[in-house]
Amino acid sequence: MSTSPSRQSRRDPVSPKPSSKARRVLPAREQVEDATTGSGKQRPTYVSENGEQWQIVRKNRKAKNKADALAEKFSTSLEHRLVKVSRPTKCASLRVMGLDDSVTTEELVAAVARGGNCSPAQVKVSPITSGFSGLGTAYITCPVVVAKTLANCSGMGLSAGQGPAAKVGRQITGEIRKELNEISAENSSLRSHISDLNSKQECMEKDILSLKESLEFLHNDHTELKKCSNESASNNLSGQVQFLQDKIDSMEQQSRQCNIELCNVPEKRGENLLSIIESVGTAIKFNIDPKSIFSIHRVPHARNEDNIRPKNIIVKLSSRVTRDNILSAFRMSKGLNTEQLGFTCSSRSIYMNEHLTLKNKCLFRESKAAARKNGCKYIWIRNATILARRSDTSPIFAIKNQNDLSKFTKSISQCSSNTTTTG
């Protein structure tokens, strides 16, 4: 407890004259001593220009009440003497939260004093601040005993919400809670809907994956079928083309069935081919009637390496029988040369054959090469068909295309190998 008396002079041992502050404190001290007689030992513990601190020493629980009574007596006695009396106590700080806009600092001070059973002067409250939730927070400074009492109780008895602002706050809070409940319900519905959509999406993904696999399988089948179809079509087309080529060759060869071809006959400018044919008939001892000759002309060679040789003479006769008779007479004559026809050049052999197509000529040339290589004794042409015989006793082999030539070559090769092994 402190008062505000004047400083007394400590240097003058003679009884000093009381100061103005002392004159104000001394009457109050006398009254306080009379009022607190028997309450315990009293003594001043600190004296300064600003005040005087008194201490009541008594070792019991009633010392606090006596100190409070002493402070109250001082306040009453010095009320009109411009003296401030205070009661020093240990204080603690508390934080109060959840205050709405209707609560004021005065109401908070009154509630703390009422709940802690203390004087409002012992309570200090900071300004109320609002947080992000909209509710207020304040810091309270009060005696430790009051702080413990408030901490142990369930509340301070603040009846928030008695004014118009509190009613509006409650309405807004109720509406907010209602909206929050609706939002929560909508969120629950959305979660359920999203869960259904997720399950449906998973089913759709599985279906799409299955469809993709089926489509890939169908694509592979289609590719395989297309490939087989193309191969079949290509084979069919190749077969058809080959068939048509063979048919064309056959028709072309058939159109030449009445022709004969003379090879290696000397060529000169202004020659008379008809007289040459008559000379050939005379040499082979067969009378060729000029009326049986439809046309006669020379044709160029198909290969460039044959350009140095004279062009062949093609004779178109009136019938196939006439052609066959002329060819038989030529074979019976055992050969023909240029001297027999009256040419003055060096003697060389003249050949007479059926008029073959270019394809058959190539096939005949390849057949002669294969026969010569494998020791085949005979190879000739009859009715546009190539015939071959390995020996006098072996059967005749007909060669009409490349397959027949391959078979013939393979056959005579095996026969040659067997003959060599036996020998």
Side-chain angles (χ1 to χ4, degrees):
M1 179 186 65
S2 62
T3 59
S4 301
S6 64
R7 178 184 295 179
Q8 296 180 358
S9 178
R10 299 181 181 178
R11 297 179 181 178
D12 192 359
V14 184
S15 63
K17 184 179 179 180
S19 63
S20 59
K21 291 183 180 180
R23 288 195 299 270
R24 284 182 293 179
V25 174
L26 288 175
R29 182 187 296 174
E30 294 175 356
Q31 295 179 6
V32 170
E33 289 178 352
D34 294 338
T36 57
T37 301
S39 61
K41 185 179 181 181
Q42 303 176 16
R43 63 182 179 182
T45 59
Y46 179 76
V47 179
S48 65
E49 294 181 355
N50 296 327
E52 180 176 346
Q53 179 175 338
W54 282 74
Q55 180 178 4
I56 298 176
V57 181
R58 185 165 182 173
K59 297 180 181 181
N60 55 25
R61 296 181 179 179
K62 296 181 179 180
K64 174 181 175 297
N65 298 332
K66 297 297 182 178
D68 292 338
L70 180 61
E72 186 177 358
K73 290 291 184 180
F74 266 114
S75 298
T76 303
S77 300
L78 302 177
E79 182 178 2
H80 302 291
R81 297 179 181 274
L82 301 177
V83 176
K84 181 179 179 181
V85 180
S86 62
R87 167 79 158 73
T89 56
K90 293 183 179 180
C91 297
S93 295
L94 298 175
R95 183 176 65 176
V96 181
M97 298 183 297
L99 303 175
D100 59 14
D101 295 340
S102 63
V103 179
T104 62
T105 56
E106 289 78 8
E107 292 177 348
L108 189 59
V109 169
V112 170
R114 184 173 57 254
N117 193 17
C118 66
S119 173
Q122 295 178 315
V123 180
K124 295 181 180 180
V125 179
S126 67
I128 299 174
T129 58
S130 298
F132 66 91
S133 62
L135 300 178
T137 302
Y139 289 89
I140 299 173
T141 303
C142 61
V144 175
V145 178
V146 176
K148 291 181 179 181
T149 303
L150 294 177
N152 294 328
C153 68
S154 60
M156 293 181 295
L158 289 176
S159 58
Q162 295 180 355
K167 293 180 180 179
V168 174
R170 284 198 303 271
Q171 292 177 358
I172 294 174
T173 303
E175 292 178 358
I176 291 173
R177 289 178 179 174
K178 183 178 179 181
E179 294 291 336
L180 289 176
N181 293 333
E182 293 178 357
I183 292 172
S184 178
E186 291 178 358
N187 287 337
S188 300
S189 177
L190 287 175
R191 289 193 188 96
S192 177
H193 186 61
I194 290 172
S195 178
D196 295 339
L197 290 177
N198 289 334
S199 60
K200 291 180 180 179
Q201 183 180 2
E202 291 178 357
C203 294
M204 291 178 65
E205 288 178 354
K206 293 180 180 178
D207 293 340
I208 290 172
L209 182 60
S210 178
L211 291 174
K212 187 176 180 181
E213 293 177 354
S214 301
L215 182 62
E216 185 177 359
F217 177 76
L218 291 175
H219 177 71
N220 294 334
D221 284 351
H222 175 70
T223 304
E224 188 68 22
L225 289 174
K226 187 176 180 181
K227 183 178 179 181
C228 295
S229 176
N230 292 336
E231 291 178 355
S232 177
S234 177
N235 294 334
N236 293 335
L237 183 61
S238 300
Q240 292 178 3
V241 169
Q242 186 65 36
F243 173 76
L244 291 176
Q245 287 180 351
D246 294 341
K247 189 173 183 179
I248 291 172
D249 291 339
S250 176
M251 293 174 66
E252 186 179 359
Q253 187 63 56
Q254 188 176 5
S255 67
R256 300 180 183 190
Q257 65 181 352
C258 297
N259 299 351
I260 58 175
E261 184 176 14
L262 293 173
C263 304
N264 211 22
V265 178
E267 181 181 2
K268 63 181 179 179
R269 186 182 299 274
E271 64 184 355
N272 188 350
L273 297 179
L274 184 58
S275 63
I276 293 175
I277 293 302
E278 291 177 351
S279 301
V280 169
T282 302
I284 63 175
K285 298 178 181 181
F286 184 84
N287 185 20
I288 301 176
D289 188 3
K291 295 181 180 180
S292 64
I293 299 174
F294 284 173
S295 64
I296 181 172
H297 59 276
R298 287 185 181 268
V299 294
H301 296 285
R303 299 190 303 175
N304 294 330
E305 58 267 22
D306 294 336
N307 290 337
I308 60 177
R309 301 175 60 186
K311 297 178 182 178
N312 297 339
I313 298 174
I314 304 299
V315 181
K316 186 173 180 63
L317 301 172
S318 59
S319 65
R320 182 177 176 181
V321 175
T322 304
R323 184 206 66 174
D324 292 341
N325 292 333
I326 293 173
L327 290 174
S328 296
F330 177 79
R331 294 188 183 99
M332 293 295 294
S333 64
K334 302 296 182 180
L336 185 65
N337 54 43
T338 55
E339 292 180 356
Q340 293 174 328
L341 299 181
F343 290 98
T344 57
C345 60
S346 59
S347 179
R348 54 188 177 185
S349 299
I350 295 175
Y351 305 100
M352 181 184 292
N353 293 309
E354 297 180 13
H355 187 200
L356 301 177
T357 61
L358 180 61
K359 177 182 177 181
N360 289 336
K361 284 182 180 180
C362 294
L363 183 62
F364 182 52
R365 190 179 295 111
E366 293 175 1
S367 299
K368 286 196 298 183
R372 191 181 301 112
K373 180 179 178 181
N374 294 281
C376 184
K377 189 174 182 179
Y378 304 105
I379 184 165
W380 69 97
I381 297 175
R382 178 174 292 177
N383 296 329
T385 303
I386 302 171
L387 302 175
R389 175 182 282 178
R390 185 175 178 275
S391 63
D392 296 334
T393 58
S394 60
I396 298 174
F397 194 90
I399 302 174
K400 296 181 181 181
N401 48 45
Q402 291 292 336
N403 292 332
D404 294 339
L405 178 59
S406 300
K407 292 178 181 179
F408 171 70
T409 304
K410 185 177 180 180
S411 176
I412 60 178
S413 298
Q414 290 178 354
C415 290
S416 300
S417 299
N418 294 334
T419 302
T420 303
T421 303
T422 303

